[in-house]
Amino acid sequence: MLGKSKPSVETVNINANTTLYDILVKASQQNSAYVFEATFYKGLGYYITSISNVKQNTTTNYYWMIYDGDKRIPTGVSIYKPNHMAQITFKYEHVGL
């Protein structure tokens, strides 16, 4: 990913019904590799625009995609609440628009 190595896996202990946005906030407090930026859209919630200073690129269509296991999450990070023991992965991917 753009010459950067992957950060270590971060385990975050959370309460049930915690949104993915709140989990990412906690992960970024535990490990600076997970510092992120997000834009809030009324009615939609937060959209991740940068992780570890790797920003989305609207010119080349690279964006942060979020997976639970091997499936892309169906909602935004403000709504999505992972199940117990979920493995969430953030991938910087080309998106064909």
Side-chain angles (χ1 to χ4, degrees), residues 57-88:
N57 187 324
T58 57
T59 302
T60 60
N61 294 328
Y62 272 85
Y63 299 91
W64 284 102
M65 299 290 108
I66 306 164
Y67 293 83
D68 187 342
D70 62 350
K71 295 185 180 180
R72 193 180 296 175
I73 65 170
T75 64
V77 295
S78 301
I79 298 169
Y80 194 71
K81 296 176 182 177
N83 292 323
H84 180 68
M85 300 300 292
Q87 184 173 4
I88 304 299

Side-chain angles (χ1 to χ4, degrees), residues 12-26 77-83 88:
V12 180
N13 294 313
I14 52 127
N15 294 323
N17 294 316
T18 301
T19 66
L20 189 50
Y21 179 83
D22 291 330
I23 294 168
L24 191 52
V25 167
K26 188 170 182 178
V77 295
S78 301
I79 298 169
Y80 194 71
K81 296 176 182 177
N83 292 323
I88 304 299

Side-chain angles (χ1 to χ4, degrees), residues 1-9 33-34 51-52 54 64:
M1 172 181 56
L2 302 174
K4 289 190 174 195
S5 60
K6 291 181 183 179
S8 61
V9 172
Y34 292 96
I51 299 175
S52 193
V54 177
W64 284 102

Side-chain angles (χ1 to χ4, degrees), residues 24 33-37 48-55 64 90:
L24 191 52
Y34 292 96
V35 170
F36 70 100
E37 295 175 9
I48 303 300
T49 57
S50 174
I51 299 175
S52 193
N53 207 30
V54 177
K55 299 178 185 301
W64 284 102
F90 294 83

